[in-house]
Amino acid sequence: MRQEVGYKEKSGQFTKFGQWYADRVQDTQYRDAPWCDMFIAWASDKAGISQYVGQFAWTPSHAAWFMRQGAWTQKPEPGALVFFDWRGGKSYKGIDHVGIVESVKGSKIHTIEANVDGVWLKRKTRETDKVVGYGVPRLVKATADKPAEIRLTERPFVPASRSESGSPLDFLGTPPALLTAMVLMTVVLSLRFSGRRRGTHRRFSWPWNAPTHPHASSAPPSVKALPVAKAPPSENARAKPRPTPTPAPRPARTRVPVGSTTSATTSATTSATTGSTTTATRRPTPTRRKPYDPS
């Protein structure tokens, strides 16, 4: 990196660092783009530490990467990347330049920066009033190497493995079984309470609730009618019933022609005492002369 101090960009803003980055990302627009951050990407790749420094061309994204790695600080140190906002802002979104801290002396930092004074890669001495923050590759490396340094007592609790030949009853204590039981209980309770609200309870038809309609049944087929107690027989019911008299047959009537005179009619009478029947004799009737009869 120090060997590159004094490098000057070529005509058309072309630099070897921009060419290298454009070939790496397969995008030719970086060949003549601002190259302060692309120089750091090139230098870290040559040193074999790009995984701790990061490879970016846009400075706000580079600062955000250090923040995500937990390697962002406000204290300068040699080897840290320093990010500037020339407007004096303190948000990473306003960062527009980056350099490398070479040393710290009092309240000033000595840096190596690319694309300064228009076309140069050179050393600079800076005040810290324009500094937004510092990205520290050392902290990135410490975070990346931490999983390999975890002690046995720092490892998370690992549950003991269960034997493959477990009992089928072990399923009852599992979360799926508990969830299934809760769902079934909820369904049963909802059906029970909804049935009570709709009045679907069973209602019995007792004799005192029998229907009054003459053609309606006195009790439903599924309910047996209660036996009705019989009253004790009265004194009149115990007496022997009297026989009902049979009425006598009426005499047969004989039709008499209209206009005939009879002295007597034939009738049949029934004697109540003897039970015999007598028949009256028919007397001859004189014939009536017709008006037109000449005799």
Side-chain angles (χ1 to χ4, degrees):
M1 179 183 295
R2 290 184 175 91
Q3 293 81 359
E4 299 297 329
V5 174
Y7 178 87
K8 184 180 180 181
E9 69 180 31
K10 307 302 186 279
S11 61
Q13 299 180 348
F14 175 84
T15 62
K16 64 178 182 180
F17 312 113
Q19 180 65 53
W20 173 86
Y21 195 88
D23 295 341
R24 189 175 185 86
V25 299
Q26 299 296 314
D27 193 342
T28 59
Q29 67 174 335
Y30 292 101
R31 296 178 61 185
D32 54 359
W35 49 286
C36 62
D37 210 0
M38 291 189 289
F39 161 70
I40 295 176
W42 176 87
S44 63
D45 183 72
K46 295 298 181 181
I49 57 173
S50 59
Q51 57 185 347
Y52 308 127
V53 177
Q55 295 183 335
F56 292 86
W58 193 43
T59 51
S61 297
H62 202 169
W65 180 81
F66 276 109
M67 294 177 183
R68 291 193 300 268
Q69 301 298 321
W72 185 257
T73 182
Q74 297 298 321
K75 184 179 180 180
E77 64 177 68
L81 274 64
V82 55
F83 293 87
F84 299 94
D85 183 356
W86 301 133
R87 293 178 296 274
K90 296 303 177 181
S91 173
Y92 78 96
K93 297 179 180 179
I95 293 173
D96 45 23
H97 186 64
V98 64
I100 301 172
V101 177
E102 190 174 20
S103 63
V104 179
K105 293 182 180 179
S107 60
K108 295 183 179 181
I109 57 177
H110 299 267
T111 64
I112 298 177
E113 302 172 25
N115 195 28
V116 293
D117 298 337
V119 293
W120 294 96
L121 191 160
K122 61 170 57 176
R123 286 183 172 92
K124 300 288 287 187
T125 300
R126 299 285 192 183
E127 298 288 344
T128 58
D129 58 335
K130 304 295 184 180
V131 174
V132 178
Y134 302 88
V136 185
R138 175 183 59 84
L139 298 178
V140 177
K141 184 177 185 302
T143 304
D145 295 343
K146 188 175 181 180
E149 299 175 357
I150 296 179
R151 300 294 185 270
L152 180 62
T153 55
E154 296 176 352
R155 293 180 180 177
F157 174 75
V158 179
S161 59
R162 297 182 178 180
S163 60
E164 297 182 358
S165 58
S167 174
L169 298 178
D170 294 340
F171 175 75
L172 298 178
T174 59
L178 297 177
L179 180 60
T180 303
M182 292 176 62
V183 171
L184 291 177
M185 182 63 67
T186 304
V187 172
V188 171
L189 292 177
S190 63
L191 292 177
R192 183 178 181 87
F193 286 109
S194 63
R196 288 185 176 181
R197 287 194 299 268
R198 291 194 302 267
T200 57
H201 57 276
R202 188 176 180 183
R203 181 177 297 175
F204 293 96
S205 298
W206 299 101
W208 49 83
N209 291 332
T212 57
H213 195 275
H215 298 289
S217 175
S218 61
S222 58
V223 180
K224 296 180 64 176
L226 295 178
V228 181
K230 297 182 178 180
S234 60
E235 294 296 333
N236 297 332
R238 293 180 182 179
K240 187 175 181 180
R242 298 178 180 180
T244 303
T246 303
R250 300 177 63 179
R253 296 181 179 180
T254 303
R255 297 186 64 179
V256 178
V258 178
S260 61
T261 57
T262 56
S263 60
T265 60
T266 304
S267 62
T269 58
T270 304
S271 176
T273 56
T274 60
S276 60
T277 303
T278 59
T279 303
T281 58
R282 179 179 298 179
R283 297 179 180 180
T285 56
T287 59
R288 187 175 180 180
R289 188 174 61 120
K290 296 179 181 182
Y292 53 83
D293 189 1
S295 60

